Amino acid sequence: MALDKDCLFCRIIAGEIPSAKVYEDEYVYAFKDIEPIAPVHYLFVPKDHICCAKKITAENSAAVAKIFEAISKTAEAENIESFRVINNCGEDAGQSVMHLHFHMVAGKKMGWGEQSLG
Ligand code: 5GP
Ligand code: ZN
């Protein structure tokens, strides 16, 4: 797996920084967000370092499919009926960690529209 030693999420995947794991397979690692915005707030990341959604290509996009499979399995395993998946790409969208990640948020009624995005 291609890990970046300066990347926070690569270091979490490598176990150098502790995290509360919720799911893991060959391609995907998922853990609880350290500052949850909802009762359920997990981060799903590819084990291979991809900086952001803008850098998804034909060569690496299988990781994204694996992430959505992992999200589906987690929802099934934890009986989560309704959830939102969020990806922030780039500074204006609020991406703060430059390793592709999908937020899985659940456990509360969520609004829609610009206001709900903060
Ligand atoms: P972004 O803002 O890039 O979309 O999301 C990054 C997320 O990573 C934030 O929700 C933030 O709370 C979370 N985060 C940042 N550092 C850590 C950490 O060290 N451990 C965990 N579990 N989450 C983190
Ligand atoms: Zn990384």
Side-chain angles (χ1 to χ4, degrees):
M1 289 288 162
L3 294 179
D4 178 338
K5 65 179 174 36
D6 298 321
C7 168
L8 174 65
F9 286 174
C10 280
R11 296 184 68 200
I12 284 178
I13 293 162
E16 287 173 29
I17 294 172
S19 64
K21 178 167 92 172
V22 295
Y23 178 89
E24 183 171 17
D25 64 31
E26 194 183 339
Y27 308 98
V28 180
Y29 188 73
F31 53 104
K32 292 185 179 176
D33 196 293
I34 207 165
E35 284 184 58
I37 61 165
V40 173
H41 186 173
Y42 302 154
L43 299 172
F44 287 76
V45 306
K47 285 190 172 174
D48 272 333
H49 181 89
I50 302 170
C51 77
C52 52
K54 207 174 166 209
K55 297 291 182 188
I56 295 168
T57 63
E59 281 68 44
N60 65 20
S61 64
V64 180
K66 292 292 179 192
I67 283 173
F68 274 81
E69 284 179 45
I71 289 171
S72 168
K73 282 183 198 162
T74 303
E76 189 69 36
E78 299 194 13
N79 232 347
I80 300 169
E81 275 303 313
S82 182
F83 57 87
R84 183 171 289 174
V85 178
I86 302 164
N87 170 257
N88 298 320
C89 180
E91 201 179 332
D92 279 0
Q95 184 175 6
S96 60
V97 179
M98 294 309 286
H99 180 125
L100 181 67
H101 53 281
F102 293 84
H103 300 254
M104 179 188 194
V105 178
K108 73 172 188 185
K109 190 91 179 159
M110 289 172 260
W112 186 244
E114 204 173 349
Q115 267 189 333
S116 71
L117 299 173

